[in-house]
Amino acid sequence: MDRDAYRMNQASVIYQAFHLFPLLTVLENVMFPMQLQHVSKKEAKARAQEFLGKVGLPDSLYGKMPNMISGGKQQRVAIARAMASGGQILLADEPTGNLDSQNEKVIVDLLCKLAHEEQYAVIVVTHNQKVAEAADVVYGMLDGVLEVVRG
């Protein structure tokens, strides 16, 4: 399997630490994966704006640099960027680990909406019990053995 092609076209990772490009604006961060796929700049911009709207970010933030916005907003930019890759599989590594409880709820609700309304397969790795409770299926790992906890 060509893992790079798989990641570019099928699955995207939402990192705990966001991993946004600090010298790109919010809009440019979301456009980036589409530009790697040779989508025209005009189309990438329009689609990036659509994805940012889906994660609830206003256009007033599009020109801001990542360090100019809150952690919750940065996480939503990271989710929009993951959606922009075109894959329907989102792998989220502790997506709420750096967030306060209010932003945690926003992100969990957003991931649930993506799974239930947008038909994304959302796979979340977390130690946070509140986040796990929102999942449809929960697996646990103990001593290297994966088991179904709920679902």
Side-chain angles (χ1 to χ4, degrees):
M1 170 188 281
D2 182 345
R3 283 188 270 177
D4 291 334
Y6 183 76
R7 284 263 334 269
M8 186 176 289
N9 300 309
Q10 303 297 321
S12 298
V13 178
I14 303 165
Y15 297 98
Q16 177 179 358
F18 319 130
H19 291 294
L20 299 175
F21 298 111
L23 300 178
L24 297 180
T25 66
V26 164
L27 185 63
E28 291 166 340
N29 264 281
V30 180
M31 291 172 62
F32 186 78
M34 292 181 279
Q35 291 174 313
L36 289 178
Q37 296 171 344
H38 307 291
V39 173
S40 74
K41 187 173 183 175
K42 182 179 179 181
E43 183 179 347
K45 182 177 180 180
R47 287 174 52 196
Q49 291 171 333
E50 177 185 339
F51 291 124
L52 287 164
K54 283 185 178 186
V55 299
L57 292 176
D59 58 3
S60 61
L61 297 181
Y62 295 177
K64 296 204 180 289
M65 304 308 260
N67 68 344
M68 299 170 69
I69 61 177
S70 72
K73 289 180 176 120
Q74 287 182 49
Q75 188 65 294
R76 285 188 273 169
V77 173
I79 293 169
R81 185 177 62 189
M83 293 167 61
S85 73
Q88 290 295 112
I89 302 170
L90 298 179
L91 307 171
D93 177 19
E94 294 284 2
T96 63
N98 293 319
L99 304 178
D100 60 29
S101 60
Q102 182 180 358
N103 282 311
E104 175 183 287
K105 180 174 178 4
V106 169
I107 297 305
V108 169
D109 290 348
L110 175 60
L111 293 173
C112 288
K113 180 181 177 188
L114 291 173
H116 296 140
E117 297 175 20
E118 303 275 339
Q119 282 66 54
Y120 280 85
V122 179
I123 301 167
V124 176
V125 175
T126 188
H127 291 94
N128 184 325
Q129 192 59 37
K130 285 174 144 179
V131 174
E133 287 171 4
D136 297 325
V137 178
V138 177
Y139 290 89
M141 183 172 282
L142 181 64
D143 299 328
V145 177
L146 189 66
E147 61 185 15
V148 177
V149 174
R150 180 175 46 83

